Amino acid sequence: MRPLDLTEKDPSKRVTIYFEGQPLEAYEGEKVTVALLANGIYWLTTSTGGRRRGAFTFGPVPMVVNGVKNVNARKTAVKDGMRLERQGYDDFQENVEIDEGKPVLQYVVDVAVIGAGPAGLGVVKEIGGRLTTAIIEERGWLGGDLKLKGVEQEGFGDPKEALNELSDLPENTRVFLKSVAIGVFDKGEYFLVPIVRGDQLIEILAKRVVLATGAVDNIMLFENNDYPGIFRRSDALEVMNVWGVAPGRKVAVVGAFPEEITAELDRWGIEYVVVPNPKRVEGNEKVERLIDANGNVYDVDAVIMSDGRRPDINPVTQAGGRLYFKRGYYRPVIDSNHRIREGIYVAGSAVSIKPHYANYLEGRLVGAYILREFGFEAEPCVYEERLKNYEPIAVPVHRLPLDEFNGEDVHICGCDVTLRKVDDVVKSGITDLQIIKRLTHLAMGFCQGRFCLFNGAVVVSQRTGTPMDKLDIPVARPPIKNVKMKVPARRD
Amino acid sequence: MPTKELPERSEITIIGGGIVGVTIAHELAKRGEEVTVIEKRFIGSGSTFRCGTGIRQQFNDEANVQVMKRSVELWKRYSEEYDFPFEQTGYLFLLYDDEEVETFKRNIAIQNRFGVPTRLITPEEAKEIVPLLDISEVIAASWNPTDGKASPFKSTAKFAIKAEEFGAKLVEYTEVKDFIIENGEIKGLKTSRGVIKTGIVVNATNAWAKLINAMAGISVRIPIEPYKHQAVITQPIKKGTIRPMVISFKYGHAYLTQTSHGGVVGGVGYELGPTYDLNPTYEFLREVSYYFTKIIPALRELLILRTWAGYYAKTPDSNPAIGKIEELSDYYIAAGFSGHGFMMAPAVAEMVADLITKGRTDLPVEWYDPYRFERGELRGQALQMG
Ligand SMILES: Cc1cc2nc3c(=O)[nH]c(=O)nc-3n(C[C@H](O)[C@H](O)[C@H](O)COP(=O)(O)OP(=O)(O)OC[C@H]3O[C@@H](n4cnc5c(N)ncnc54)[C@H](O)[C@@H]3O)c2cc1C
C-alpha cells in the first residue's frame, strides 16, 4: 500500500504515473490529486504570487499533464504512464489544437434540478416521474455530501442504504454527472440552463429550475492557511470515504465544528488533535506543524478545517435572487413557495444549514410545490410540518484576532488576496466592500467569491464597523463555474 | 451603506460618481471650487467599473483626436502623480481588406496631423507585438504605441481620494430625485437622504442622463439611450502576454487586451436595448468566445472567470453631449459617452471645469454641443469599439 492508503486497492487497476519525473503507484480511475496524495505529495501547483498550493484548500489546481499546461488536476483521472508536473497559475498553453468541437446538445424538460445532493434528489423523488426532469451534478456521484459520510445520519440511518434508495430515480429523469451548470438564463417562455460536461456544451431548456446547489465549507483565516496539507472538511471526507486515502497520518482539526469530522477520523483510526485557536501553520513544502494562539506547537502533517458551512450564494445571485443575513450567513430571500423569483426554486443547504435529512425533506417540499403548480395533487403541508422539527443551524461569526496575525501570511482568497492587502485599502479610506473587492480582486478570481467573499465581508465588517447585514454584497455573474473558452466558442 | 453626511449646501453639485463625475469633481476641487458628488450607489458602479479599460487617440475626426491627445497627456501625468496603473501599450487595429486599409489610412492622416504617431504596419510586425495573434487573414494593422489602458478601479478610486483631499465631498448611496428650481434658477436638489442647496449642477449620469434632464425640466432634446454591452475576463496569465488593445472589426467588432492584473478582458459588438437591464446573456458568452478564439487561438484553453454588462449611453452620432444648457441657470451636462467615456474623462473634466470657472475652454468642446441634435447637425459617427 502507498504511504497514505487506508484501503487495499484493486491490483488489476494498478498503473504507473510520473510526477516531476518520479514514478509513482496509482490506480486507474483515481483523481490525479488523490493519487498524488496517497503517495504523500501535497504541493501540486504554485499561485501567481508564488505560494505553494495543494489540491484541498482553495484555488485552482492547474498542472502540466503530458506536456500540456493549465489542465485542472481536480478533474483529471489517472491514466497509465501519465506525466505530471507543477506549474504556476499564470502558465498557459500557447500552442493549442483547433477543432470544431462537439455539436451542442439540447434537451427540453419540465424541471431542471441543479445539484444532486439529498435536496435535489428529494425534488426528483417527489415529482416521481409525473413531470420530466433533468438533474445536473458537478461531482461524479449522486448524493452530494451524504455520499461522503461513513457514520449514521439522523433521519437516514446508514448513509449507504439511504443513498441506494435515494438514487433510484424515475425513468424519465435525465442525469448529468460531472456536469457544471454555468448559469440560469431567463428566456421568457422558459429558462436556459447551459451545462458543461468535459468539453461538451449542453443546453437544458426547462419550465422550472430548482437550485439545490448546497453549501460551501468555511475557509478559516490564520497564517499560511493556504499551505498544501490544509483540507476543507468536505475534501478530507472525500479522500477518506470515497477514495480510501488518508489526509495525513497525524492531523489537526480546527474550527467551530470539529465533531463533523472527528467521528470519521475515529472510524478510520487516524490520529488527530483538536486545536480550537489556530494561529499559524509552518512547514517547508507543506504543513509540518500548527501553532495555536497560546504558542502551543503541534507536529502534524495535515490540518482539517471544520468550521461549518454556509449556503453557496453564487447560483442564487446569478439567477436574480436577493439575499439577507441571518444565523451567521447570507441566504436567499424566498417566497411562500420556496422561490427566489417566478419559476426558480431553491432547496437544501442552499437555503439554510441543516441535517441531510432536513435538506431531503425540503427537496420533497419543493417537488410538491412544483407538482401543485403544474396542476397535480400534492401535499406540501406534510413536509412543511415535518421541517418544523429542524431549526436551521446557526454558524456564528466570530470576531477574528486580526491584529494578532501577520496579515501578509493570511490568505482571504486563493488568488493571493491577503489580509494585508485588504487592510491597506481600508487604511487608505475606502470602506465599501464593493470597492475593496475591485481594488484587491477579492471574489474576482476562480471561485468568484464562493470561498472567499464571506471572509472578505467579515474582515471588512470588522475593520470598518459596518454590520454584516448592511454590506453591499456583490452578485455572481455567469459562468458561475469556470469554463474553458473553447467550450462556448463553438459555432453551429 | 452611506458613510458620509449629505452636506447642507454646495456651490457646485455633480450628479453621478462615475469616472466623469469624479474627475470633474477632482478638477474643480483642485481649482479651489466647493463641489459635491452625489452618487446613488458606489463610485464607479454605473458603467465605469464595467468598462474595457481602453484609452486611445485613434479616432476618425479632428475633435476627438485632439481631445483624446489631451486626455492621454492627463492620464500619463495623473497616473504618475497618483500612482495608479496606466500603460501606453498601444492600440492595434487588425485590418483584413483593402477597403478597411483605405479607411484607416485616412484616419491615420488626421491623427498624424495632431501629432499622434499612428502608422500602418505589416501583419508580421503586428505578430511581433502580439505573438499569439492569428495573422493568416490579416493584411495590415493600424498601430499607435501611445494609446493604452488603465485600471478603472484604481484610477477612479485614486481620483476620488485626491478629490476629497482637495476638499470635494463624495456622497455615496444617495439618489437625486428632483430639482428645486425657482424662476429658472437652480436652488437645490432633492435626494433620497434629504435636500442639498446648490446653484450649479452637472449632469454626469451618462446612461441615466435623460432622467436627470427630465427632472430639470429642460425642453431641449438630448437623445441619450442606454444600450447593454457586455464584457468577459479570463483567468490571469503571464503579464505582458497581450500588451496592446487588439481590435478586429472583421471578427465581431472585438476588442481585447490584458489587464494589469493579468486577465484577458474585452468584448464584441453585441448590443441590446435601449434597456436598463444588465443581466449578462448566454448569447454574449457564445459570441465573445467564438470571436476571441479566432483572433488569438490560445485563448481556447483559458478559463473564463466571468462576464458582465454595462451601458453604452449612446447618442445618434456616438459622440457625447458636453456643455451648458442655457434655459436653466446653471446647468451643465457631460453624458452620452458610448464606448469611450472612460478614456475621455480627464479631458472632459478639464473642459467642464473650464466652462464652469472661465466660461470657455481651449479644447474643441463645440463638437459635443448638446444642441446639435435639435439643430439637426449630427457629427460624423465617432469610431466606436464593441
Ligand atoms: C462593456 C463596456 C466596455 C467599455 N469599454 C470602454 C473602454 O475600453 N474605454 C472607454 O473609454 N470606455 C469604455 N466603456 C464606456 C465607459 O464605461 C463609459 O463611457 C464611462 O464609464 C462613462 O462614465 P460616466 O462617469 O459618464 O458614467 P457612469 O460610470 O455610468 O457614472 C454615472 C453614475 O451616475 C449615477 N447616477 C445615475 N442616476 C443617479 C441619480 N439619480 N442620483 C445619483 N446618482 C445617479 C450612477 O449610479 C452612475 O454611477 C465601456 C463600457 C462598457 C459597458
Side-chain angles (χ1 to χ4, degrees), chain A residues 48 60 70 88-101 104 182 185 187 192 194 201-203 318 415 428-432 434-435 437-441 443-446 448 465-467 470 472-473 477-479 481-492, chain B residues 1 3-4 41-45 49-50 131-132 134 151 153-155 157-158 161 164 172-173 232-239 241 259-261 264 278-283 285-294 296-309:
Chain A
T48 306
N70 199 22
Y89 282 11
D90 58 356
D91 280 331
F92 67 101
Q93 188 60 25
E94 293 195 15
N95 304 317
V96 300
E97 254 175 60
I98 298 175
D99 57 32
E100 283 300 294
V104 179
I182 58 174
F185 298 89
K187 307 297 283 180
L192 168 63
L201 185 61
I202 304 168
E203 297 174 347
Q318 187 279 323
C415 305
S428 77
I430 290 168
T431 55
D432 193 289
Q434 289 274 9
I435 299 178
K437 159 186 153 171
R438 291 170 170 90
L439 293 179
T440 60
H441 280 260
M444 290 171 80
F446 296 90
Q448 237 194 99
T466 311
K470 291 284 182 325
D472 188 344
I473 297 294
R477 309 270 168 63
K481 298 268 165 87
N482 306 156
V483 52
K484 287 227 162 151
M485 200 176 267
K486 68 179 173 190
V487 177
R490 190 195 147 84
R491 265 280 165 96
D492 296 298
Chain B
M1 195 176 90
T3 49
K4 296 194 184 89
R41 213 163 156 215
F42 55 90
I43 294 295
S45 61
F49 281 179
R50 303 162 184 270
L132 294 179
D134 177 354
S151 157
F153 313 133
K154 296 199 169 143
S155 60
K158 268 285 159 61
I161 288 170
E164 286 187 311
E172 294 169 288
Y173 295 95
V232 68
I233 194 155
T234 70
Q235 68 181 108
I237 54 171
K238 289 243 178 301
K239 298 205 175 138
T241 303
T259 69
S260 53
H261 190 256
V264 180
L278 280 186
N279 285 315
T281 64
Y282 174 68
E283 290 69 23
L285 182 69
R286 298 288 305 271
E287 292 275 303
V288 78
S289 304
Y290 173 76
Y291 289 123
F292 274 25
T293 53
K294 285 275 181 205
I296 298 186
L299 297 177
R300 292 172 60 81
E301 297 294 335
L302 293 194
L303 294 169
I304 297 175
L305 297 189
R306 64 188 179 280
T307 60
W308 65 89

Side-chain angles (χ1 to χ4, degrees), chain A residues 37-58:
Chain A
L37 173 69
N39 285 284
I41 293 166
Y42 290 82
W43 168 32
L44 304 186
T45 186
T46 305
S47 81
T48 306
R51 305 277 302 188
R52 294 180 171 131
R53 293 283 167 71
F56 307 107
T57 316
F58 47 35

Side-chain angles (χ1 to χ4, degrees), chain A residues 180-218:
Chain A
V180 290
I182 58 174
V184 177
F185 298 89
D186 187 347
K187 307 297 283 180
E189 298 287 285
Y190 59 91
F191 293 99
L192 168 63
V193 183
I195 66 181
V196 177
R197 187 173 57 199
D199 290 344
Q200 172 77 59
L201 185 61
I202 304 168
E203 297 174 347
I204 308 281
L205 315 185
K207 297 192 185 102
R208 299 289 178 271
V209 175
V210 182
L211 304 178
T213 35
V216 284
D217 272 281
N218 294 336

Side-chain angles (χ1 to χ4, degrees), chain B residues 313-385:
Chain B
K314 283 179 68 174
T315 62
D317 57 16
S318 292
N319 282 291
I322 304 172
K324 190 161 192 275
I325 305 298
E326 296 299 342
E327 61 192 277
L328 195 61
S329 134
D330 281 348
Y331 185 55
Y332 296 82
I333 183 168
F337 289 97
S338 182
H340 35 263
F342 176 67
M343 61 180 78
M344 270 188 189
V348 172
E350 198 166 79
M351 289 191 278
V352 174
D354 281 351
L355 291 180
I356 293 175
T357 60
K358 299 192 271 187
R360 53 170 297 279
T361 175
D362 292 338
L363 288 166
V365 74
E366 327 73 58
W367 184 258
Y368 311 110
D369 184 355
Y371 288 87
R372 69 182 185 275
F373 310 105
E374 197 138 288
R375 291 204 202 103
E377 295 169 7
L378 289 192
R379 311 306 186 210
Q381 279 291 331
L383 190 64
Q384 177 194 302
M385 302 303 97

Side-chain angles (χ1 to χ4, degrees), chain B residues 185-320:
Chain B
E185 259 183 50
I186 298 176
K187 295 292 179 190
L189 293 171
K190 288 184 191 160
T191 82
S192 56
R193 292 170 67 222
V195 168
I196 177 167
K197 291 184 195 146
T198 191
I200 302 172
V201 169
V202 182
N203 177 356
T205 57
N206 207 31
W208 295 269
K210 64 175 179 187
L211 307 178
I212 301 294
N213 286 344
M215 287 178 203
I218 58 168
S219 61
V220 49
R221 194 177 59 84
I222 307 174
I224 299 175
E225 292 295 337
Y227 287 86
K228 172 153 87 174
H229 275 251
Q230 302 176 59
V232 68
I233 194 155
T234 70
Q235 68 181 108
I237 54 171
K238 289 243 178 301
K239 298 205 175 138
T241 303
I242 307 173
R243 288 169 55 78
M245 184 70 83
V246 177
I247 314 280
S248 166
F249 289 113
K250 177 183 167 81
Y251 285 113
H253 286 241
Y255 59 92
L256 65 90
T257 190
Q258 199 182 1
T259 69
S260 53
H261 190 256
V264 180
V265 71
V268 289
Y270 177 70
E271 179 172 276
L272 297 164
T275 175
Y276 280 110
D277 169 65
L278 280 186
N279 285 315
T281 64
Y282 174 68
E283 290 69 23
F284 171 75
L285 182 69
R286 298 288 305 271
E287 292 275 303
V288 78
S289 304
Y290 173 76
Y291 289 123
F292 274 25
T293 53
K294 285 275 181 205
I295 300 164
I296 298 186
L299 297 177
R300 292 172 60 81
E301 297 294 335
L302 293 194
L303 294 169
I304 297 175
L305 297 189
R306 64 188 179 280
T307 60
W308 65 89
Y311 304 115
Y312 276 26
K314 283 179 68 174
T315 62
D317 57 16
S318 292
N319 282 291

